[in-house]
């Protein structure tokens, strides 16, 4: 399985968003960060905007909800047709019930863990999720540096996925570049969110290919 590259449209040109979505048609999914200025100190877009992105995107949507009260709001994003909806463990009162609700609507259910959130309580819940997102920066802002100290969490998840044989994608988000993607891939990640590493420069498609190759080679050398 080659590495999945999910460009973050936080790094896209919001005024020319449809054109910038077309430029990442070779990506696996498009990562859409929904922030509410409450759970994180930043505000991006809500359901109306995500619905329009869903209408025009050449690739499926990987929605990452950095919002409070995920139990209430997350199902609406699944209802918009998002392929995958990821909510934060720290923002849900009943992660398992919420994941089941998302799956019942037809979306893949993902759970995200901040850098300071322990992974152990979630290892036994892995069958309830289709994706676990290990944040490799503090959520809320783009352009932060990759935090290698989050890798033990990824290794624990990877070992449990291997032990159980579950089809759970392990995603990383934050500071992912051609230099850091190999570190995360070697620790077990197979799905990578990248913003400026894709949209920086003039050729997002070439950047996607470069990132995918770097992740795949790191996976195969270990």
């Amino acid at each position: 399985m080659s590495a999945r590259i999910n460009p973050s449209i936080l790094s896209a040109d919001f005024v020319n968003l449809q054109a910038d979505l077309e430029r990442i048609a070779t990506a696996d999914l498009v990562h859409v960060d929904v922030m509410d200025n409450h759970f994180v100190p930043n505000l991006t877009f809500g359901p109306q905007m995500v619905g329009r992105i869903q209408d025009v995107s050449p690739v499926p949507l990987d929605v990452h909800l950095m919002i409070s009260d995920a139990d209430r709001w997350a199902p609406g994003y699944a209802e918009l047709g998002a392929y995958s909806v990821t909510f934060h463990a720290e923002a849900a009162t009943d992660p398992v019930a919420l994941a089941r609700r998302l799956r019942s609507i037809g979306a893949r259910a993902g759970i995200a863990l901040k850098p300071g959130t322990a992974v152990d309580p979630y290892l036994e819940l892995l069958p309830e999720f289709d994706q676990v997102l290990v944040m490799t920066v503090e959520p809320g802002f783009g352009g932060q540096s990759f935090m290698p100290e989050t890798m033990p969490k990824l290794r624990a998840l990877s070992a449990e996925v291997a032990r159980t044989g579950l089809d759970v994608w392990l995603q990383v988000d934050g500071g992912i570049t051609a230099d850091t993607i190999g570190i995360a891939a070697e620790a077990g990640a197979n799905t990578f969110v990248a913003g400026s590493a894709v949209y920086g420069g003039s050729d997002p498609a070439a950047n996607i290919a470069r990132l995918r190759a770097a992740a795949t080679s790191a996976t195969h050398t270990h």
Side-chain angles (χ1 to χ4, degrees), residues 116-159:
T117 300
V119 72
D120 299 357
Y122 301 98
L123 293 175
E124 63 186 24
L125 303 179
L126 278 185
E128 301 287 349
F129 301 105
D130 301 294
Q131 174 168 281
V132 181
L133 166 52
V134 173
M135 290 299 299
T136 43
V137 297
E138 288 296 336
F141 292 97
Q144 297 180 68
S145 296
F146 178 81
M147 297 169 68
E149 60 269 31
T150 55
M151 291 301 98
K153 200 183 298 190
L154 202 49
R155 290 183 198 282
L157 285 161
S158 182

Side-chain angles (χ1 to χ4, degrees), residues 141-192:
F141 292 97
Q144 297 180 68
S145 296
F146 178 81
M147 297 169 68
E149 60 269 31
T150 55
M151 291 301 98
K153 200 183 298 190
L154 202 49
R155 290 183 198 282
L157 285 161
S158 182
E160 185 64 11
V161 168
R163 188 185 73 77
T164 54
L166 292 165
D167 178 23
V168 179
W169 296 1
L170 299 181
Q171 186 177 64
V172 285
D173 180 2
I176 299 299
T177 65
D179 296 323
T180 60
I181 196 167
I183 300 168
E186 191 268 321
N190 52 31
T191 308
F192 305 86

Side-chain angles (χ1 to χ4, degrees), residues 46-105:
Q48 199 172 3
M49 185 72 177
V50 174
R52 284 297 293 136
I53 295 167
Q54 170 76 21
D55 291 343
V56 302
S57 177
V59 290
L61 265 54
D62 172 34
V63 175
H64 176 196
L65 301 177
M66 291 180 248
I67 61 174
S68 302
D69 202 2
D71 307 80
R72 177 181 177 190
W73 299 110
Y77 289 90
E79 286 160 0
L80 288 172
Y83 180 76
S84 176
V85 177
T86 297
F87 59 88
H88 267 267
E90 307 87 4
T93 52
D94 191 339
V96 169
L98 180 52
R100 289 177 180 173
R101 174 101 175 84
L102 294 171
R103 282 175 160 181
S104 74
I105 296 168

